Amino acid sequence: MVAFVEPLAEHDPRQVGGFRLQARLGAGGMGRVFLGYSPGGRPVAVKVVHPDLARDPEFMQRFRREVAAAQSVSDAYTAAVVGAGPDDSPPWLATTFVAGPSLADLVTRSGPLPEHAVWRLAGGLAEALQAIHSHGLIHRDLKPGNILIAADGPRVIDFGISRTTEGTVVTATHTTIGTPAYMSPEQAQGNPVGPASDVFSLGSVLTFAATGAAPFGSSGTEMFAIAYRVVNGEPDLSRVPASLRPVIDACLAKDPAARPAVSQLMHDVADRAPAYPEVTPGRFWPDQVAAVLESSAFTPVLPPPAPLTPVPQRSPATEAVADGQQYAPTEAAVGRLYAPAEAAVRGQYAPPEVAAVAKWRRGPRWLLPTALGIAVAVGAAIAIVLALSSSPKPPSFLNTPGASASASGTAAATGTHQAP
C-alpha cells in the first residue's frame, strides 16, 4: 500500500452520505480526504470538513462556493462531483477518485518532468482552464498541490477560493487569499482578477514542473518576500528548457493584458506537439512518465469495498479529530445533549446517552404507584388495629373533683358500693 492510502483511524467515520469509507487519502488544514465507495462499488474521494472549520461562517461560505463551482465544471481534466452535503454535519464533498499523485508529490519524489511531458501537462491544464473559464469561473489557486497526475492526464481540483469573473481576490477583511508562490501580481496586490490571473499561475506551475522550483521562490521563503518578487521581480527561468521559455515568459507577463489567452496556449501546444516523441496509443503521458506513474511508488493499492461497520462510540465532549486534537462542544452541541431528554420522556427516540440522562431524571415508572399502594395498606392496617383494641385507661388528668362526683352519681344509680 502506498503512502497516500492509509487505514481508517479508530474514530474516523465509516459512512458519509451514501458512501462507505474505506481508507484515508490525506489530511490538511481544512479537513480529511477519504477513499470511499458508492453503493455500486465505484471509488470516490470524499472530503470531510474539519469540525472546527464547520463552525466558521466565512469558511463555510468558501466551501459552499467550492461545491457549486466543482459541480458546474465537468471536464476531462477536472475531478467530477458525484455528491455533496455542504449543510450536513460534518459538511462533505465527493468527487471521482483519481488514482495518481499530485504534481507537487510527483516532482518532489521523482524530479522534474522531461521536456515533452511538460508540453503534455501544459496542454491538459490549458484545456482544464478553458472549461473552468467557460463557466464564468476563475480558479485563483492553481498550484502543483491542486493538480493530480492521473494516467490519462492531469486533473485540476480544489475550487475552494474560486470566484465568478465578476469577483475579486480579497475577502471581507481585505486580506489576500491564495498561495503566494503561484499568485499573479494583481492577486498579490489584492486587485480584481480575471482569467489572465490563472494564466500567470499556469506559467509558474509549468516552471515548477520543468525545474522542480517555483519561479519566484517557494518553501522556506518568507511569503511577503515572495509576493514582493511576484509583483516587482523577475522570475528565475534559468533551468527551463529553451523550447518552453517563450510560452512561460508570455504567461508570466506582469501586465494581464499582455498574457496569452487560454485558446492561444492550446494552439501553441498543438503546434509543438509533433516535435516530441509520440505517445503510445491509449496513453496521455510519454512512456518515461507513464512508467513512473505505473510503478509501485505511485500506484495505489486500494482496499476493496467492505460491509459497513459502526464507528466506535465516543463522548461528544471528547470527540477526537484527525490530528489528535480535541474540541470542546459548542453551546448548541451541549444543548442538543440534554434537550432531547424531554423528547425521551414523551416516548420519542433519543440517543442512548441522552435516554440515560432522561431516565435518571424521572426514575423508574413503577416507583410512584408502588409507594402509594404501600402507604394506603399501612394506613388501613393501623385503622383496623385501633378499632379492635379495648378502650384505653382514662388519662390521669381526668381524676378531678368534678370527675369524682360524676363517678359517685353513676355508681349510686347502678347500686355500686363506694368506699368511704
Side-chain angles (χ1 to χ4, degrees), residues 30-389:
M30 64 78 60
R32 293 161 286 174
V33 182
F34 298 97
L35 169 69
Y37 288 95
S38 69
R42 177 173 60 171
V44 295
V46 182
K47 179 187 292 186
V48 179
V49 173
H50 195 288
D52 198 34
L53 291 176
R55 297 191 287 266
D56 182 348
E58 183 176 352
F59 176 85
M60 288 309 302
Q61 182 180 8
R62 286 175 51 191
F63 183 72
R64 291 186 183 93
R65 188 163 59 242
E66 174 182 3
V67 171
Q71 287 175 328
S72 68
V73 180
S74 180
D75 181 75
Y77 298 116
T78 60
V81 174
V82 296
D87 297 314
D88 289 354
S89 180
W92 58 277
L93 170 67
T95 63
T96 53
F97 174 72
V98 179
S102 68
L103 177 62
D105 188 33
L106 178 64
V107 171
T108 299
R109 295 169 60 188
S110 298
L113 300 183
E115 184 176 350
H116 49 297
V118 178
W119 279 111
R120 299 290 293 175
L121 175 67
L125 294 180
E127 288 191 39
L129 289 181
Q130 184 179 55
I132 293 169
H133 295 166
S134 69
H135 286 81
L137 299 171
I138 306 162
H139 191 283
R140 302 198 310 153
D141 199 21
L142 187 69
K143 61 183 180 181
N146 284 341
I147 299 168
L148 300 180
I149 305 301
D152 57 350
R155 298 287 194 281
V156 174
I157 62 171
D158 198 348
F159 293 82
I161 61 173
S162 63
R163 288 283 181 90
T164 64
T165 52
E166 290 78 22
T168 64
V169 72
V170 294
T171 65
T173 56
H174 203 75
T175 56
T176 303
I177 54 178
T179 305
Y182 298 94
M183 285 181 178
S184 65
E186 60 269 29
Q187 189 176 7
Q189 292 176 300
N191 295 328
V193 301
S197 179
D198 284 343
V199 172
F200 189 96
S201 299
L202 174 61
S204 295
V205 166
L206 296 178
T207 302
F208 173 83
T211 67
F216 299 99
S218 53
S219 60
T221 307
E222 210 273 335
M223 68 175 187
F224 292 107
I226 295 175
Y228 179 84
R229 286 199 291 270
V230 167
V231 175
N232 302 291
E234 293 300 319
D236 180 6
L237 304 180
S238 58
R239 291 183 291 162
V240 174
S243 69
L244 291 163
R245 283 291 298 268
V247 171
I248 293 179
D249 272 329
C251 290
L252 296 179
K254 302 295 185 185
D255 181 5
R259 299 170 201 154
V262 172
S263 57
Q264 181 62 47
L265 289 174
M266 295 174 63
H267 178 74
D268 292 341
V269 171
D271 279 349
R272 288 167 172 79
Y276 296 97
E278 293 184 359
V279 177
T280 301
R283 285 184 171 179
F284 179 90
W285 301 106
D287 292 346
Q288 181 181 354
V289 175
V292 172
L293 293 176
E294 293 169 1
S295 67
S296 59
F298 293 107
T299 302
V301 179
L302 303 182
L308 181 62
T309 56
V311 66
Q313 295 296 319
R314 49 186 169 172
S315 168
T318 58
E319 183 173 346
V321 293
D323 55 6
Q325 296 178 340
Q326 293 180 344
Y327 293 85
T330 63
E331 183 177 347
V334 173
R336 285 195 300 271
L337 178 60
Y338 294 101
E342 303 303 326
V345 173
R346 295 192 300 269
Q348 299 176 3
Y349 169 78
E353 65 272 17
V354 175
V357 172
K359 183 176 181 180
W360 174 82
R361 286 182 170 182
R362 66 174 182 264
R365 295 183 177 180
W366 51 263
L367 183 59
L368 181 59
T370 303
L372 291 175
I374 293 175
V376 171
V378 170
I382 292 174
I384 293 172
V385 170
L386 291 176
L388 297 178
S389 63

